[in-house]
Amino acid sequence: MNSEVQHVADPKTVMFAMGDETVAHAFSRILEAEGHVTLVVDSVGDAEGFGGYDVLVAEIGDGAEVCGLDLVEHLRELGLDFDAVLVANDPTREDYQRAIRLGVLEVLERPVRPDDLIRAIESSTQSPLRPVAADVPTALNLVLDAQDGAAETVAREIIGWCARCEVTPAPRARIASAAAEIVQNSVDHGARTVDVLAHVRERSVDVEVADDGPGFDVVSSWTDGRVDASGGLGRAQALSDDLVVHSSREEGTCVRMRFGITALDFDAEDQVDLSDLDYFTPATSKELLATLADEPDAPIVLSPALAVVVGRLLVGPDPRRVLQSALWS
């Protein structure tokens, strides 16, 4: 291991179970240089004998000794708890759907950039599956005819599911709106069916919208371009935290989005959720300050705009304004 490492706030233990050991060791050195601990197994079959790692890195594709998706499913059936990052040459829509259902943290397409690998590994503690009530599924799958009204149906279903998963109002509005934009694009461009798959994590919701429409020319994976917000794709991109498009002529289009969320137990009486508000009324501000005075540790979720206001309220009035009021009184 590299002795001159950077110190990261939350170092991870990462196991590489890849058919190409040269690539695995190269990735291992990159992560160790960032302060993480790594383990490279000689065979993916040896992965069964190890535990205690935070993240598993494996492969999808023809070159893999064992498909990473099969490996993740098998290891979790053994009771092992970990996040998974999978590397793939040319993942299919079915690969992505299965990865979402298995709670895979991320699928990275080759060639994998070191920064993308590090980002995926270091985000692992922020994206475990969110525990929800026993009768609420962590995944939502909708298959609809691409016709008028499909976008509205998807929006209603996503909002209801997000509410049952205890996602706060502002994030679920963004998620539903973005998904509706992509579904409407599928309808407008001649798709016959639309498949919507959503998966909730602790701090994010992943949504995939795939159709069987005519598709369009995209260079492998489209992620970087910013498009005009007057179109559905641009509006969805503006609403999401991350958006990736896969499409080709005559093979349909697949759009994957990730949304950061806040979530609360809405049944808890001591929690205050103001995440969907952009302003305070005098009554709201007095009530919030009274709550904080009585219970300084009360769980409160604020929108970014309100967080700034509360910070100013808690530190007290601006001394310059106090002085100005005194001079004019």
Side-chain angles (χ1 to χ4, degrees), residues 25-44:
H25 282 291
F27 284 161
S28 172
R29 288 192 293 271
I30 289 170
L31 288 174
E32 288 183 355
E34 294 293 319
H36 301 291
V37 178
T38 65
L39 170 68
V40 178
V41 296
D42 295 334
S43 167
V44 292

mmCIF file of all heavy atoms in Angstrom, residues 25-44:
data_model
loop_
_atom_site.group_PDB
_atom_site.id
_atom_site.type_symbol
_atom_site.label_atom_id
_atom_site.label_comp_id
_atom_site.label_asym_id
_atom_site.label_seq_id
_atom_site.Cartn_x
_atom_site.Cartn_y
_atom_site.Cartn_z
ATOM 1 N N HIS A 25 -5.738 -4.078 -9.801
ATOM 2 C CA HIS A 25 -4.625 -3.522 -9.024
ATOM 3 C C HIS A 25 -4.398 -2.047 -9.357
ATOM 4 O O HIS A 25 -4.011 -1.262 -8.484
ATOM 5 C CB HIS A 25 -3.358 -4.337 -9.269
ATOM 6 C CG HIS A 25 -3.323 -5.636 -8.523
ATOM 7 N ND1 HIS A 25 -3.197 -5.706 -7.156
ATOM 8 C CD2 HIS A 25 -3.445 -6.917 -8.955
ATOM 9 C CE1 HIS A 25 -3.216 -6.970 -6.770
ATOM 10 N NE2 HIS A 25 -3.365 -7.734 -7.842
ATOM 11 N N ALA A 26 -4.621 -1.668 -10.611
ATOM 12 C CA ALA A 26 -4.483 -0.256 -10.980
ATOM 13 C C ALA A 26 -5.519 0.585 -10.233
ATOM 14 O O ALA A 26 -5.205 1.641 -9.666
ATOM 15 C CB ALA A 26 -4.644 -0.092 -12.490
ATOM 16 N N PHE A 27 -6.769 0.109 -10.219
ATOM 17 C CA PHE A 27 -7.816 0.806 -9.466
ATOM 18 C C PHE A 27 -7.458 0.841 -7.975
ATOM 19 O O PHE A 27 -7.682 1.842 -7.291
ATOM 20 C CB PHE A 27 -9.160 0.108 -9.652
ATOM 21 C CG PHE A 27 -9.816 0.358 -10.974
ATOM 22 C CD1 PHE A 27 -10.805 -0.502 -11.433
ATOM 23 C CD2 PHE A 27 -9.482 1.443 -11.751
ATOM 24 C CE1 PHE A 27 -11.446 -0.277 -12.639
ATOM 25 C CE2 PHE A 27 -10.105 1.687 -12.970
ATOM 26 C CZ PHE A 27 -11.091 0.822 -13.417
ATOM 27 N N SER A 28 -6.928 -0.264 -7.478
ATOM 28 C CA SER A 28 -6.572 -0.356 -6.063
ATOM 29 C C SER A 28 -5.554 0.710 -5.687
ATOM 30 O O SER A 28 -5.682 1.386 -4.659
ATOM 31 C CB SER A 28 -6.025 -1.751 -5.757
ATOM 32 O OG SER A 28 -5.512 -1.822 -4.445
ATOM 33 N N ARG A 29 -4.540 0.884 -6.518
ATOM 34 C CA ARG A 29 -3.506 1.897 -6.224
ATOM 35 C C ARG A 29 -4.086 3.306 -6.225
ATOM 36 O O ARG A 29 -3.704 4.156 -5.413
ATOM 37 C CB ARG A 29 -2.365 1.781 -7.226
ATOM 38 C CG ARG A 29 -1.493 0.538 -7.026
ATOM 39 C CD ARG A 29 -0.220 0.625 -7.836
ATOM 40 N NE ARG A 29 -0.504 0.566 -9.264
ATOM 41 C CZ ARG A 29 -0.571 -0.558 -9.973
ATOM 42 N NH1 ARG A 29 -0.395 -1.724 -9.371
ATOM 43 N NH2 ARG A 29 -0.826 -0.532 -11.268
ATOM 44 N N ILE A 30 -5.026 3.550 -7.136
ATOM 45 C CA ILE A 30 -5.654 4.874 -7.206
ATOM 46 C C ILE A 30 -6.389 5.179 -5.902
ATOM 47 O O ILE A 30 -6.270 6.269 -5.333
ATOM 48 C CB ILE A 30 -6.623 4.939 -8.400
ATOM 49 C CG1 ILE A 30 -5.848 4.944 -9.715
ATOM 50 C CG2 ILE A 30 -7.513 6.183 -8.309
ATOM 51 C CD1 ILE A 30 -6.726 4.761 -10.939
ATOM 52 N N LEU A 31 -7.135 4.196 -5.401
ATOM 53 C CA LEU A 31 -7.910 4.418 -4.181
ATOM 54 C C LEU A 31 -7.019 4.497 -2.946
ATOM 55 O O LEU A 31 -7.278 5.284 -2.030
ATOM 56 C CB LEU A 31 -8.942 3.310 -4.016
ATOM 57 C CG LEU A 31 -10.118 3.372 -4.991
ATOM 58 C CD1 LEU A 31 -10.998 2.149 -4.842
ATOM 59 C CD2 LEU A 31 -10.943 4.632 -4.785
ATOM 60 N N GLU A 32 -5.959 3.698 -2.914
ATOM 61 C CA GLU A 32 -5.047 3.765 -1.769
ATOM 62 C C GLU A 32 -4.348 5.114 -1.706
ATOM 63 O O GLU A 32 -4.072 5.636 -0.622
ATOM 64 C CB GLU A 32 -4.035 2.619 -1.854
ATOM 65 C CG GLU A 32 -4.649 1.262 -1.546
ATOM 66 C CD GLU A 32 -3.624 0.146 -1.558
ATOM 67 O OE1 GLU A 32 -2.456 0.410 -1.899
ATOM 68 O OE2 GLU A 32 -4.002 -0.996 -1.222
ATOM 69 N N ALA A 33 -4.070 5.689 -2.865
ATOM 70 C CA ALA A 33 -3.466 7.028 -2.890
ATOM 71 C C ALA A 33 -4.410 8.079 -2.323
ATOM 72 O O ALA A 33 -3.965 9.155 -1.892
ATOM 73 C CB ALA A 33 -3.066 7.399 -4.322
ATOM 74 N N GLU A 34 -5.719 7.764 -2.303
ATOM 75 C CA GLU A 34 -6.714 8.677 -1.735
ATOM 76 C C GLU A 34 -7.003 8.382 -0.273
ATOM 77 O O GLU A 34 -7.869 9.004 0.326
ATOM 78 C CB GLU A 34 -8.010 8.593 -2.549
ATOM 79 C CG GLU A 34 -7.887 9.095 -3.976
ATOM 80 C CD GLU A 34 -7.627 10.591 -4.022
ATOM 81 O OE1 GLU A 34 -8.249 11.329 -3.229
ATOM 82 O OE2 GLU A 34 -6.813 11.020 -4.854
ATOM 83 N N GLY A 35 -6.315 7.379 0.292
ATOM 84 C CA GLY A 35 -6.485 7.090 1.705
ATOM 85 C C GLY A 35 -7.412 5.948 2.028
ATOM 86 O O GLY A 35 -7.718 5.703 3.200
ATOM 87 N N HIS A 36 -7.882 5.219 1.025
ATOM 88 C CA HIS A 36 -8.778 4.098 1.253
ATOM 89 C C HIS A 36 -7.985 2.795 1.393
ATOM 90 O O HIS A 36 -6.821 2.709 1.018
ATOM 91 C CB HIS A 36 -9.785 3.990 0.108
ATOM 92 C CG HIS A 36 -10.615 5.226 -0.068
ATOM 93 N ND1 HIS A 36 -11.555 5.621 0.856
ATOM 94 C CD2 HIS A 36 -10.621 6.168 -1.049
ATOM 95 C CE1 HIS A 36 -12.122 6.750 0.446
ATOM 96 N NE2 HIS A 36 -11.563 7.100 -0.701
ATOM 97 N N VAL A 37 -8.638 1.783 1.932
ATOM 98 C CA VAL A 37 -8.044 0.457 2.095
ATOM 99 C C VAL A 37 -8.637 -0.463 1.040
ATOM 100 O O VAL A 37 -9.860 -0.466 0.833
ATOM 101 C CB VAL A 37 -8.326 -0.103 3.502
ATOM 102 C CG1 VAL A 37 -7.750 -1.509 3.648
ATOM 103 C CG2 VAL A 37 -7.758 0.823 4.571
ATOM 104 N N THR A 38 -7.789 -1.240 0.354
ATOM 105 C CA THR A 38 -8.294 -2.066 -0.726
ATOM 106 C C THR A 38 -7.865 -3.517 -0.581
ATOM 107 O O THR A 38 -6.878 -3.834 0.086
ATOM 108 C CB THR A 38 -7.805 -1.547 -2.104
ATOM 109 O OG1 THR A 38 -6.379 -1.677 -2.166
ATOM 110 C CG2 THR A 38 -8.210 -0.104 -2.313
ATOM 111 N N LEU A 39 -8.625 -4.381 -1.226
ATOM 112 C CA LEU A 39 -8.355 -5.813 -1.262
ATOM 113 C C LEU A 39 -8.686 -6.304 -2.657
ATOM 114 O O LEU A 39 -9.766 -6.016 -3.183
ATOM 115 C CB LEU A 39 -9.231 -6.535 -0.232
ATOM 116 C CG LEU A 39 -9.261 -8.057 -0.283
ATOM 117 C CD1 LEU A 39 -7.900 -8.626 0.130
ATOM 118 C CD2 LEU A 39 -10.364 -8.599 0.628
ATOM 119 N N VAL A 40 -7.748 -7.023 -3.276
ATOM 120 C CA VAL A 40 -7.977 -7.599 -4.600
ATOM 121 C C VAL A 40 -7.985 -9.114 -4.460
ATOM 122 O O VAL A 40 -6.997 -9.702 -4.010
ATOM 123 C CB VAL A 40 -6.879 -7.171 -5.605
ATOM 124 C CG1 VAL A 40 -7.123 -7.826 -6.963
ATOM 125 C CG2 VAL A 40 -6.855 -5.657 -5.748
ATOM 126 N N VAL A 41 -9.104 -9.751 -4.809
ATOM 127 C CA VAL A 41 -9.171 -11.208 -4.723
ATOM 128 C C VAL A 41 -8.713 -11.801 -6.044
ATOM 129 O O VAL A 41 -8.921 -11.217 -7.113
ATOM 130 C CB VAL A 41 -10.592 -11.686 -4.371
ATOM 131 C CG1 VAL A 41 -10.993 -11.201 -2.995
ATOM 132 C CG2 VAL A 41 -11.600 -11.211 -5.404
ATOM 133 N N ASP A 42 -8.065 -12.961 -5.981
ATOM 134 C CA ASP A 42 -7.526 -13.600 -7.180
ATOM 135 C C ASP A 42 -8.624 -14.096 -8.097
ATOM 136 O O ASP A 42 -8.459 -14.150 -9.312
ATOM 137 C CB ASP A 42 -6.621 -14.775 -6.793
ATOM 138 C CG ASP A 42 -5.382 -14.309 -6.036
ATOM 139 O OD1 ASP A 42 -4.973 -13.148 -6.239
ATOM 140 O OD2 ASP A 42 -4.853 -15.088 -5.230
ATOM 141 N N SER A 43 -9.732 -14.479 -7.522
ATOM 142 C CA SER A 43 -10.858 -14.989 -8.302
ATOM 143 C C SER A 43 -12.129 -14.453 -7.673
ATOM 144 O O SER A 43 -12.223 -14.336 -6.448
ATOM 145 C CB SER A 43 -10.866 -16.520 -8.297
ATOM 146 O OG SER A 43 -12.103 -17.005 -8.791
ATOM 147 N N VAL A 44 -13.087 -14.153 -8.517
ATOM 148 C CA VAL A 44 -14.335 -13.625 -7.954
ATOM 149 C C VAL A 44 -14.997 -14.663 -7.057
ATOM 150 O O VAL A 44 -15.756 -14.325 -6.161
ATOM 151 C CB VAL A 44 -15.307 -13.189 -9.073
ATOM 152 C CG1 VAL A 44 -14.778 -11.986 -9.798
ATOM 153 C CG2 VAL A 44 -15.583 -14.324 -10.044
#
